[in-house]
Amino acid sequence: MWLTNSSIGRKLVMAITGVCLVLFVTFHCLMNAVAIFSPKSYNAVCEFLGANWYALVASMGLAFLFIIHIFYAVWLTLQNRKARGADRYAVTATPKQVEWSSQNMLVLGVVIFAFLVLHLIQFWARMQLMEIVGCEYNGIHPADGASFLNLAFGCWVTPVAYIIGFVALWFHMNHGFWSMCQSIGWDNGIWINRLKCIGCWWTSIIIVLFIIEAVVFTLRANGLCFN
């Protein structure tokens, strides 16, 4: 099959799954922003996105996209290393035109994956999973997202780990955005620079909002700001 046997096909799969994941990250950021202004409204959103059939279908689809994206990322990395062979050790300096993030996408991916595991443990396992099995976590209702935010961000390790994850996500998304456009053919001299600019702005706004949310949640969880 062309999507698996061709390097271009594999990059196209990475691009398509990347688009879907960027859109999800954008949605997740906006959803979290609701919790800043109205924890009650945030809980209503959490209840709507609980263990309902549409939410479960969306969760399974999202998990599938993550798995495919990670699998193809590792596959392409190993393919590129194999193609370079011993020549990759002969270069000691990175060319100026090659971005640092481009050379370290796999490392950034590992950091993001570790961050994702932490996030799933702190929220998905305590909310949607608990609702599926019909349980509560330490007496907290699965749809009480605001309480789970307070529980997670009440520990100082959480904001530190999240900010590290957000920084890695910025590098990963910023490079991935224009690389995705390049993979689907939008790589002429004029538009690639414009797309890099759009990708940088989009990614930066999302990550800055995530960091602001993490700071607000931490202050609120520790009683340093009003609800």
Side-chain angles (χ1 to χ4, degrees), residues 88-109:
R88 69 179 186 271
Y89 299 109
V91 180
T92 57
T94 302
K96 292 183 179 180
Q97 67 271 21
V98 179
E99 296 181 349
W100 177 86
S101 55
S102 176
Q103 296 293 307
N104 295 277
M105 286 295 277
L106 186 61
V107 175
L108 292 170

mmCIF file of all heavy atoms in Angstrom, residues 88-109:
data_model
loop_
_atom_site.group_PDB
_atom_site.id
_atom_site.type_symbol
_atom_site.label_atom_id
_atom_site.label_comp_id
_atom_site.label_asym_id
_atom_site.label_seq_id
_atom_site.Cartn_x
_atom_site.Cartn_y
_atom_site.Cartn_z
ATOM 1 N N ARG A 88 25.920 9.621 9.241
ATOM 2 C CA ARG A 88 25.372 10.546 10.227
ATOM 3 C C ARG A 88 26.376 10.874 11.323
ATOM 4 O O ARG A 88 26.267 11.886 11.999
ATOM 5 C CB ARG A 88 24.091 9.984 10.843
ATOM 6 C CG ARG A 88 24.262 8.768 11.747
ATOM 7 C CD ARG A 88 22.884 8.353 12.310
ATOM 8 N NE ARG A 88 22.979 7.295 13.293
ATOM 9 C CZ ARG A 88 22.944 6.013 13.008
ATOM 10 N NH1 ARG A 88 22.853 5.628 11.735
ATOM 11 N NH2 ARG A 88 23.019 5.099 13.957
ATOM 12 N N TYR A 89 27.370 9.999 11.507
ATOM 13 C CA TYR A 89 28.385 10.254 12.533
ATOM 14 C C TYR A 89 29.500 11.161 12.022
ATOM 15 O O TYR A 89 30.304 11.646 12.803
ATOM 16 C CB TYR A 89 28.993 8.932 13.005
ATOM 17 C CG TYR A 89 27.984 8.000 13.621
ATOM 18 C CD1 TYR A 89 27.594 6.836 12.954
ATOM 19 C CD2 TYR A 89 27.401 8.279 14.843
ATOM 20 C CE1 TYR A 89 26.656 5.975 13.510
ATOM 21 C CE2 TYR A 89 26.454 7.427 15.405
ATOM 22 C CZ TYR A 89 26.099 6.274 14.724
ATOM 23 O OH TYR A 89 25.165 5.423 15.266
ATOM 24 N N ALA A 90 29.535 11.375 10.717
ATOM 25 C CA ALA A 90 30.611 12.172 10.132
ATOM 26 C C ALA A 90 30.343 13.664 10.266
ATOM 27 O O ALA A 90 31.230 14.479 10.107
ATOM 28 C CB ALA A 90 30.783 11.816 8.653
ATOM 29 N N VAL A 91 29.114 14.055 10.549
ATOM 30 C CA VAL A 91 28.751 15.466 10.660
ATOM 31 C C VAL A 91 28.737 15.870 12.125
ATOM 32 O O VAL A 91 27.998 15.320 12.918
ATOM 33 C CB VAL A 91 27.362 15.724 10.033
ATOM 34 C CG1 VAL A 91 27.008 17.203 10.156
ATOM 35 C CG2 VAL A 91 27.360 15.281 8.574
ATOM 36 N N THR A 92 29.548 16.823 12.475
ATOM 37 C CA THR A 92 29.641 17.267 13.869
ATOM 38 C C THR A 92 28.892 18.564 14.116
ATOM 39 O O THR A 92 28.593 18.904 15.252
ATOM 40 C CB THR A 92 31.114 17.472 14.272
ATOM 41 O OG1 THR A 92 31.719 18.407 13.373
ATOM 42 C CG2 THR A 92 31.868 16.148 14.206
ATOM 43 N N ALA A 93 28.595 19.308 13.056
ATOM 44 C CA ALA A 93 27.886 20.573 13.196
ATOM 45 C C ALA A 93 26.581 20.515 12.423
ATOM 46 O O ALA A 93 26.539 19.999 11.305
ATOM 47 C CB ALA A 93 28.745 21.733 12.693
ATOM 48 N N THR A 94 25.543 21.059 13.005
ATOM 49 C CA THR A 94 24.246 21.084 12.338
ATOM 50 C C THR A 94 24.180 22.279 11.406
ATOM 51 O O THR A 94 24.484 23.403 11.818
ATOM 52 C CB THR A 94 23.112 21.198 13.375
ATOM 53 O OG1 THR A 94 23.204 20.093 14.265
ATOM 54 C CG2 THR A 94 21.749 21.192 12.692
ATOM 55 N N PRO A 95 23.790 22.104 10.143
ATOM 56 C CA PRO A 95 23.660 23.226 9.218
ATOM 57 C C PRO A 95 22.696 24.272 9.766
ATOM 58 O O PRO A 95 21.715 23.946 10.421
ATOM 59 C CB PRO A 95 23.097 22.555 7.942
ATOM 60 C CG PRO A 95 23.519 21.123 8.053
ATOM 61 C CD PRO A 95 23.487 20.815 9.516
ATOM 62 N N LYS A 96 22.979 25.546 9.479
ATOM 63 C CA LYS A 96 22.157 26.628 10.014
ATOM 64 C C LYS A 96 20.711 26.530 9.558
ATOM 65 O O LYS A 96 19.807 26.958 10.274
ATOM 66 C CB LYS A 96 22.747 27.977 9.595
ATOM 67 C CG LYS A 96 24.081 28.285 10.254
ATOM 68 C CD LYS A 96 24.573 29.656 9.849
ATOM 69 C CE LYS A 96 25.911 29.980 10.519
ATOM 70 N NZ LYS A 96 26.408 31.319 10.133
ATOM 71 N N GLN A 97 20.488 26.010 8.342
ATOM 72 C CA GLN A 97 19.132 25.963 7.823
ATOM 73 C C GLN A 97 18.302 24.843 8.436
ATOM 74 O O GLN A 97 17.102 24.743 8.189
ATOM 75 C CB GLN A 97 19.149 25.813 6.292
ATOM 76 C CG GLN A 97 19.690 24.484 5.781
ATOM 77 C CD GLN A 97 21.191 24.504 5.565
ATOM 78 O OE1 GLN A 97 21.872 25.341 6.147
ATOM 79 N NE2 GLN A 97 21.688 23.611 4.733
ATOM 80 N N VAL A 98 18.923 23.988 9.221
ATOM 81 C CA VAL A 98 18.217 22.886 9.858
ATOM 82 C C VAL A 98 17.866 23.268 11.291
ATOM 83 O O VAL A 98 18.742 23.578 12.087
ATOM 84 C CB VAL A 98 19.061 21.590 9.855
ATOM 85 C CG1 VAL A 98 18.306 20.471 10.560
ATOM 86 C CG2 VAL A 98 19.405 21.184 8.428
ATOM 87 N N GLU A 99 16.570 23.270 11.619
ATOM 88 C CA GLU A 99 16.128 23.660 12.948
ATOM 89 C C GLU A 99 16.513 22.620 13.995
ATOM 90 O O GLU A 99 16.593 21.437 13.713
ATOM 91 C CB GLU A 99 14.607 23.834 12.957
ATOM 92 C CG GLU A 99 14.110 24.951 12.067
ATOM 93 C CD GLU A 99 12.607 25.098 12.127
ATOM 94 O OE1 GLU A 99 11.958 24.196 12.704
ATOM 95 O OE2 GLU A 99 12.087 26.088 11.619
ATOM 96 N N TRP A 100 16.721 23.114 15.237
ATOM 97 C CA TRP A 100 17.038 22.211 16.339
ATOM 98 C C TRP A 100 15.908 21.226 16.547
ATOM 99 O O TRP A 100 16.143 20.041 16.784
ATOM 100 C CB TRP A 100 17.257 23.035 17.607
ATOM 101 C CG TRP A 100 17.524 22.185 18.813
ATOM 102 C CD1 TRP A 100 18.729 21.698 19.233
ATOM 103 C CD2 TRP A 100 16.539 21.695 19.742
ATOM 104 N NE1 TRP A 100 18.558 20.941 20.364
ATOM 105 C CE2 TRP A 100 17.238 20.911 20.708
ATOM 106 C CE3 TRP A 100 15.162 21.840 19.856
ATOM 107 C CZ2 TRP A 100 16.590 20.296 21.761
ATOM 108 C CZ3 TRP A 100 14.512 21.225 20.905
ATOM 109 C CH2 TRP A 100 15.225 20.456 21.843
ATOM 110 N N SER A 101 14.663 21.707 16.482
ATOM 111 C CA SER A 101 13.520 20.825 16.692
ATOM 112 C C SER A 101 13.437 19.739 15.630
ATOM 113 O O SER A 101 13.003 18.621 15.912
ATOM 114 C CB SER A 101 12.215 21.641 16.712
ATOM 115 O OG SER A 101 12.086 22.408 15.532
ATOM 116 N N SER A 102 13.877 20.069 14.407
ATOM 117 C CA SER A 102 13.859 19.074 13.340
ATOM 118 C C SER A 102 14.802 17.928 13.637
ATOM 119 O O SER A 102 14.528 16.769 13.304
ATOM 120 C CB SER A 102 14.246 19.736 12.006
ATOM 121 O OG SER A 102 14.323 18.778 10.972
ATOM 122 N N GLN A 103 15.919 18.240 14.290
ATOM 123 C CA GLN A 103 16.912 17.222 14.623
ATOM 124 C C GLN A 103 16.557 16.428 15.879
ATOM 125 O O GLN A 103 17.161 15.390 16.145
ATOM 126 C CB GLN A 103 18.286 17.899 14.833
ATOM 127 C CG GLN A 103 18.841 18.575 13.599
ATOM 128 C CD GLN A 103 19.196 17.587 12.513
ATOM 129 O OE1 GLN A 103 19.931 16.622 12.748
ATOM 130 N NE2 GLN A 103 18.675 17.804 11.314
ATOM 131 N N ASN A 104 15.577 16.929 16.629
ATOM 132 C CA ASN A 104 15.260 16.292 17.915
ATOM 133 C C ASN A 104 13.780 15.986 18.082
ATOM 134 O O ASN A 104 13.276 15.944 19.206
ATOM 135 C CB ASN A 104 15.725 17.214 19.059
ATOM 136 C CG ASN A 104 17.230 17.381 19.090
ATOM 137 O OD1 ASN A 104 17.955 16.570 19.629
ATOM 138 N ND2 ASN A 104 17.697 18.483 18.495
ATOM 139 N N MET A 105 13.082 15.750 16.973
ATOM 140 C CA MET A 105 11.653 15.480 17.038
ATOM 141 C C MET A 105 11.338 14.221 17.845
ATOM 142 O O MET A 105 10.347 14.159 18.571
ATOM 143 C CB MET A 105 11.068 15.364 15.628
ATOM 144 C CG MET A 105 10.936 16.693 14.909
ATOM 145 S SD MET A 105 9.752 17.816 15.690
ATOM 146 C CE MET A 105 8.208 17.214 14.992
ATOM 147 N N LEU A 106 12.187 13.207 17.741
ATOM 148 C CA LEU A 106 11.935 11.966 18.476
ATOM 149 C C LEU A 106 12.096 12.191 19.981
ATOM 150 O O LEU A 106 11.283 11.714 20.780
ATOM 151 C CB LEU A 106 12.876 10.858 18.005
ATOM 152 C CG LEU A 106 12.605 9.469 18.599
ATOM 153 C CD1 LEU A 106 11.199 8.997 18.226
ATOM 154 C CD2 LEU A 106 13.638 8.457 18.124
ATOM 155 N N VAL A 107 13.127 12.939 20.370
ATOM 156 C CA VAL A 107 13.340 13.249 21.785
ATOM 157 C C VAL A 107 12.171 14.066 22.326
ATOM 158 O O VAL A 107 11.643 13.801 23.418
ATOM 159 C CB VAL A 107 14.664 14.021 21.984
ATOM 160 C CG1 VAL A 107 14.813 14.455 23.440
ATOM 161 C CG2 VAL A 107 15.846 13.166 21.558
ATOM 162 N N LEU A 108 11.751 15.064 21.551
ATOM 163 C CA LEU A 108 10.604 15.874 21.949
ATOM 164 C C LEU A 108 9.356 15.006 22.070
ATOM 165 O O LEU A 108 8.547 15.178 22.985
ATOM 166 C CB LEU A 108 10.365 16.984 20.921
ATOM 167 C CG LEU A 108 11.431 18.079 20.854
ATOM 168 C CD1 LEU A 108 11.194 18.965 19.638
ATOM 169 C CD2 LEU A 108 11.430 18.913 22.127
ATOM 170 N N GLY A 109 9.216 14.059 21.139
ATOM 171 C CA GLY A 109 8.075 13.147 21.183
ATOM 172 C C GLY A 109 8.067 12.303 22.438
ATOM 173 O O GLY A 109 7.001 12.042 23.018
#
